Amino acid sequence: MSRDTLSVSIVCDMTLPDVPLAELDLSDVEFWKAPRDYRDGAFKKLRDTPGLIHFEEALIPDSPFPRGAGYYALTRHEDIWQVSRNAKVFCSSQGSNIGDLPQEMNEFFGSMINMDDPKHFRLRSIVSKGFTPKEVSQVEENVRVKAAEVVDRLLEQFPDKQCDFVEHVAAALPLEIICDMMGIPSDDYAKIFKWTNTILGVGDPEFVGTLEDLMAHALEMFMYAQALGEDRRANPRNDITSVMMAAEVDGDQLSPQEFGSFFILLVVAGNETTRNAISHGMKALTDFPDQRELLFSEYETHSKTAMEEIVRYATPVIHFRRTATEDTSVGGQEIKAGEKVVMFYNSGNRDERVFDDPYAFDVTRPMQPAQVGFGAGGPHFCLGANLARREMTVMFDEIRRRLPSLRISGEPDYLQSAFINGIKRMPCEWD
Ligand code: HEM
């Protein structure tokens, strides 16, 4: 498809279909397979409907766990903001994904994203030591080197000037950076990549067959991490695994099991999200050539707002859940203790009450009011937001300087998921 055709199709998408509430089911896998403008129309309808709509949970075939009692969908920016910042009333320890799992499984898979204070505070205080400005600035030089290597490889390996953007550009950088920060040897990168794909690809038949497959991969990853953590406690090196394993809060250290679960969260959260932000970013820069021209010609001026706009526009993580700890109300809706609410960040980021022309991609869009792609504030706000912004800024800068004609040359193959706005494959070309 030519660039002209692509930009025309985006303009057409701005006239959203009017989706009747009665036919709307956010738990139906078919909904997440529907065209994007249909889904945008559906979320607009939900934002414009007073109160909150309650949805049944998806019935997961062969699941050993009972089906939960459903959830209220939070689709307005203001409601998401309110819930995210009130962790006492809207807790995470009963799970941050929609379905209910036993408490141990929540902590095993989700680590601190499925915890409340004081547990969350303790763990976040320890692991934050690996993400201080000093630690992140040490990584910065490395980000530059690795991004340059990504472009070197494109120039060397693809003489016919086309390749899969996701595999050869977007996936490579975040994976190598997070693995390198953690002290994982390069021979193991491919293994880590496979594990993270399985865990976040749940729902997409390409990545996971059964719940047993998923558990088996998570367990392999957990054991790999435990061994890494134990090794670095005994033989510290210059990596954040060593910093975290040595860190103490009130005389208390991270156990190898805690590190194992945190590792799963970190490599999954650090890889897929940034990869998808870079992929959607490149697609948006292809679809909106005037924005690409503006960003690429005045990179210093616009890169900060542009990266925030890419995260808003892409919203790589679609939702997280909270559970009410007491009777309360949100968006004009009474919520009882124990009921679930799900924050749809994709919808918050298209809320026309907050963002002018929300379907347009505008690299100069003001940073306030804030987009909610990294969360809407509160104790769980994305720990890796600064690292992700850095990786994206450097990657697009390398492309701008060394491959300024690089563009997306066909339709993306989207991940089938209600949780991650993912792109599995997407062809690109350059002159
Ligand atoms: C564009 C890339 C990224 C996006 C869109 C993203 C998005 C998110 C979101 C929506 C949350 C939940 C926030 C909340 O509940 O308030 C989150 C949490 C988290 N993210 Fe990210 N993330 C990205 C990159 C990263 C990276 C690079 C890392 C680490 C290397 C990372 C590590 C984490 C961790 C550890 C948490 C849990 C924090 C907690 O529970 O206290 N993320 N992220």
Side-chain angles (χ1 to χ4, degrees), residues 113 120 124 178 266 269-270 273 320 322 373-375 379-382 384:
I113 209 157
H120 175 263
R124 181 135 177 162
I178 193 74
L266 199 61
T273 49
F320 271 121
R322 301 288 190 264
F374 290 118
H380 292 277
F381 186 79
C382 178

Side-chain angles (χ1 to χ4, degrees), residues 377-397:
H380 292 277
F381 186 79
C382 178
L383 181 69
N386 283 333
L387 177 63
R389 290 180 181 118
R390 192 75 221 140
E391 290 178 20
M392 292 163 61
T393 309
V394 172
M395 192 69 249
F396 285 113
D397 193 29

